[in-house]
Amino acid sequence: MPEFLYAAAALVLLLTGLGLMRMLWGPSPADRLMAAQLLGTGGGAIALLIAIASGTMAIIDIALTLALLAAFAAVALTLGEPGTKTRAGEGEQ
Amino acid sequence: MSVVLDAFTVITVTAGLVFFLAGTVGLLRFPDALTRLHALTKADNLGLGLIVLGLLPQCPDITSALKLIAIWVLVQFAGASASQLIAQFVRRNEPGP
Amino acid sequence: MSLLVDLVLVALILMAAVWTVLVRDRRDAVIAFIVLGLLLSLVWMRLYAVDVALTEAAVGGGATGLVLLRACARLLPVEAEGRLPGPGTQIAAGLLSAIAAAGLAAVVLSPPVPYPSLAALAAENIHQVGLGNPVTAVLLAYRSLDTLLEKVVLVLAVIGVWALTPDAFWGGAPGSLKSKHASGALDLLARVLPPFGIVVGIYLVWNGADHPGGTFQGGTVLAAMWLLMMMADLADPPEIRLKRLRRLVVFGPAVFIAAGFAGIFMSGWFLSYPPDYAKPIIVAVEAALALSIAVILGLLVAGPAAEPPKR
Amino acid sequence: MSAPTLYGLCAAALVGIGLFGLILHPTPLRKVISFNLVGCGAFLFFGIAARRGAGAGFAGDPIPQALVITGIVVAFAATALAVALILRMLEAGASTVDAKPLPPDDLSP
């Protein structure tokens, strides 16, 4: 069973890695961020597969952290929109 | 019994891999950002969900099994919110039809 | 099979790194850097360093990305992308970097035999501190002075960021983190996620004594939840003149230092713990530190005050 | 080739790439990002040291691992401070890299 799970982890890595092509192609920042989102989910899946395959349950906590912070980059992206101004508007005329 | 559980794991994890494949192909091949987002959410919800389901019988204790389920629920929720946020971002920046 | 995973991982990391440097737009570079952080977290997992992987996932995937994306948002209307130097300079810079990398690679390829390791020493003494996680034992017992100074550096960084406040705004609140566009999804996320995040943060701190996890990992998750609430406009960044806030910032390091001085009386050395009480003392110090780290990281991301204090 | 050696070479390449970006980019934010790349490479060296020093029942030497955690924390603090400095510098009307200075704003009383 561990061999199968390791192979599955490698395959998920390969697939999410291919998805990273979207980070290179774009065209919009949203597309690039989607690659990061896919990697976050895929990374969680890889961590879970390796945790069970190797019997290291502590690795599950990595997937837990990734899951909690998965939406974080997407939220932060909306901060970076052109024309967004902070409330104080300092230094931005 | 163990053979049945192992077979269950192999089948569900493989199905999960298929959805990750679908997510990647969609992300790379779909024509615009919103459809690509749809592909991404497939991988989030079903790919990870099936892998979690497949790993449940392999968990050595109930705590890790519960953690696995918690992770899936969190990813479902965070993924759904994130895709909404990204979609709103796309709509604001590229006014579509 | 397993080396194949490593090869793919290395190829993806190099791709992300090259893209980070070469892409034109600075926000694209930041996104590539976030991707790199996620990939590195997987590498740490492959190197059997679960504590580090947790830190990298929390910092690389969360905190650093947020700081940099926020900087991009503020820079967009102001600063143009710079013009790159000419081809001559580029080639020279490339050669120099290649030589540096080749030198480091040579070091990697000729490791000393046997490889120096302190693992045996760490294992020998771990029963004296009563912890199950050797990394926490190093951080809070064997090399606790380093960790104490690291926390002091964090406090100094907050002071440094606050010192950049314009005179007129001194004592006020940092600029709001909230997104310009109201979003129901963000609101929902910031209402539902923090309860889970706080539980996970506390779990990571508590778990850190015997299993991978610890103050910094837990503290970062707590800080991320606070920042999420600030971004959804459910919480305002606090005014930096608040005494309570400042006490929270120094609370963890102060408890650490107090435990250190108590060590002088109880077992003769600064920061040495009596064996019977080592674990409770360490767990108490960790809890205090996690609280302070959460506040400090939130304040570092929020930045200097950007509006005058309210009367 | 063993996995630690492979990651060690990756770390060397990361330092090289980061160094190149540090020299190449004139804008301060890009320099900060590049410097973080160099940092990532340096941290990875500690990971190699930890893995190669495995022993006494641990899969990795805990001392380099603990040092890296400290390093990541300090690197984050330094990045946050650097970003705050860059933003303040621009607010105060420092010249951007390839353009004319911005008009000084009236923040200071």
Side-chain angles (χ1 to χ4, degrees):
Chain A
M1 184 48 69
E3 293 78 25
F4 169 75
L5 295 180
Y6 276 123
L11 211 55
V12 175
L13 180 67
L14 201 66
L15 289 173
T16 48
L18 280 176
L20 282 187
M21 288 301 127
R22 195 37 86 184
M23 180 185 84
L24 308 187
W25 294 343
S28 80
D31 290 297
R32 297 177 202 275
L33 195 78
M34 278 182 223
Q37 292 286 125
L38 181 66
L39 185 66
T41 313
I46 293 166
L48 291 180
L49 287 165
I50 290 184
I52 302 290
S54 66
T56 322
M57 289 309 130
I59 295 182
I60 294 180
D61 290 346
I62 300 178
L64 193 59
T65 312
L66 285 174
L68 260 179
L69 300 178
F72 220 63
V75 179
L77 182 76
T78 58
L79 292 173
E81 282 184 76
T84 307
K85 283 192 179 164
T86 49
R87 188 157 62 199
E90 73 283 356
E92 296 173 359
Q93 281 89 48
Chain B
M1 192 59 201
S2 143
V3 178
V4 178
L5 287 182
D6 279 5
F8 174 77
T9 302
V10 170
I11 292 169
T12 39
V13 168
T14 310
L17 289 176
V18 171
F19 279 102
F20 266 100
L21 176 68
T24 299
V25 170
L27 192 62
L28 294 184
R29 300 288 303 152
F30 278 166
D32 64 80
L34 289 177
T35 47
R36 288 195 282 264
L37 193 58
H38 172 73
L40 172 74
T41 321
K42 277 270 182 302
D44 271 10
N45 289 352
L46 283 165
L48 190 68
L50 285 167
I51 286 179
V52 163
L53 192 65
L55 289 176
L56 283 181
Q58 308 291 332
C59 283
D61 49 42
I62 190 79
T63 325
S64 28
L66 286 176
K67 263 195 228 171
L68 249 60
I69 296 171
I71 288 169
W72 182 51
V73 172
L74 273 176
V75 167
Q76 281 264 23
F77 178 69
S81 309
S83 63
Q84 286 283 324
L85 284 166
I86 296 177
Q88 286 163 0
F89 179 90
V90 171
R91 286 300 289 272
R92 277 196 300 272
N93 287 283
E94 308 163 4
Chain C
M1 190 69 224
S2 82
L3 197 63
L4 185 71
V5 177
D6 297 321
L7 278 171
V8 174
L9 210 45
V10 166
L12 292 177
I13 284 175
L14 293 182
M15 186 191 83
V18 169
W19 186 249
T20 306
V21 167
L22 291 187
V23 68
R24 258 324 269 140
D25 185 71
R26 68 168 84 83
R27 190 165 52 179
D28 294 347
V30 173
I31 292 175
F33 187 74
I34 294 174
V35 165
L36 185 76
L38 293 172
L39 288 167
L40 281 174
S41 149
L42 293 178
V43 169
W44 288 109
M45 199 173 75
R46 296 287 303 160
L47 290 169
Y48 298 90
V50 180
D51 298 84
V52 189
L54 278 169
T55 314
E56 186 67 53
V59 177
T64 309
L66 181 57
V67 166
L68 293 172
L69 276 175
R70 186 151 189 261
C72 290
R74 316 253 307 256
L75 282 174
L76 271 176
V78 179
E79 198 202 35
E81 298 280 349
R83 191 172 298 125
L84 298 183
T89 318
Q90 290 197 17
I91 292 169
L95 277 178
L96 181 72
S97 312
I99 291 170
L104 290 169
V107 173
V108 170
L109 290 175
S110 53
V113 180
Y115 204 82
S117 169
L118 294 167
L121 264 177
E124 216 170 89
N125 296 304
I126 197 161
H127 66 273
Q128 288 189 14
V129 285
L131 300 177
N133 179 0
V135 178
T136 304
V138 173
L139 279 173
L140 284 144
Y142 311 146
R143 301 292 310 163
S144 49
L145 195 60
D146 292 353
T147 311
L148 175 60
L149 291 178
E150 169 213 337
K151 304 312 172 208
V152 173
V153 166
L154 281 180
V155 174
L156 288 177
V158 170
I159 295 173
V161 167
W162 282 359
L164 294 167
T165 304
D167 286 350
F169 298 159
W170 178 251
S176 168
L177 271 82
K178 85 172 172 165
S179 172
K180 188 183 166 196
H181 308 278
S183 160
L186 178 56
D187 200 60
L188 180 69
L189 188 70
R191 281 177 200 275
V192 177
L193 208 55
F196 292 101
I198 290 166
V199 171
V200 172
I202 293 171
Y203 160 77
L204 284 176
V205 175
W206 175 251
N207 210 23
D210 292 319
H211 304 282
T215 50
F216 188 67
Q217 294 88 340
T220 314
V221 170
L222 293 177
M225 294 305 125
W226 187 32
L227 288 163
L228 185 63
M229 288 171 67
M230 287 194 221
M231 289 191 284
D233 206 21
L234 295 175
D236 276 327
E239 295 201 338
I240 62 176
R241 63 181 174 153
L242 293 178
K243 284 262 167 27
R244 207 175 23 177
L245 183 74
R246 296 177 179 196
R247 284 196 198 110
L248 275 177
V249 167
V250 294
F251 176 62
V255 169
F256 206 163
I257 292 172
F261 277 112
I264 297 185
F265 298 109
M266 289 192 291
S267 39
W269 298 95
F270 184 64
L271 279 174
S272 71
Y273 315 117
D276 295 342
Y277 300 104
K279 187 169 179 181
I281 293 176
I282 288 177
V283 171
V285 168
E286 281 204 291
L289 282 177
L291 186 65
S292 286
I293 288 174
V295 174
I296 288 172
L297 292 186
L299 290 171
L300 281 177
V301 175
E307 52 194 59
K310 294 187 189 74
R311 288 293 157 205
Chain D
M1 187 190 292
S2 69
T5 312
L6 182 66
Y7 287 122
L9 295 178
C10 175
L14 272 180
V15 172
I17 295 167
L19 204 58
F20 180 66
L22 196 60
I23 304 173
L24 184 75
H25 285 289
T27 50
L29 189 72
R30 293 300 292 264
K31 280 193 195 289
V32 169
I33 298 173
S34 300
F35 199 73
N36 265 303
L37 278 182
V38 177
C40 287
F43 296 150
L44 206 44
F45 276 113
F46 282 78
I48 313 313
R51 185 73 185 111
R52 279 176 170 168
F58 299 142
D61 187 350
I63 283 89
Q65 292 185 12
L67 289 177
V68 169
I69 293 179
T70 306
I72 292 177
V73 182
V74 173
F76 170 75
T79 305
L81 185 58
V83 164
L85 268 169
I86 293 169
L87 292 173
R88 186 73 187 98
M89 207 171 74
L90 287 167
E91 277 168 22
S95 68
T96 49
V97 182
D98 64 345
K100 52 208 175 300
L102 289 166
D105 52 37
D106 48 0
L107 286 177
S108 39

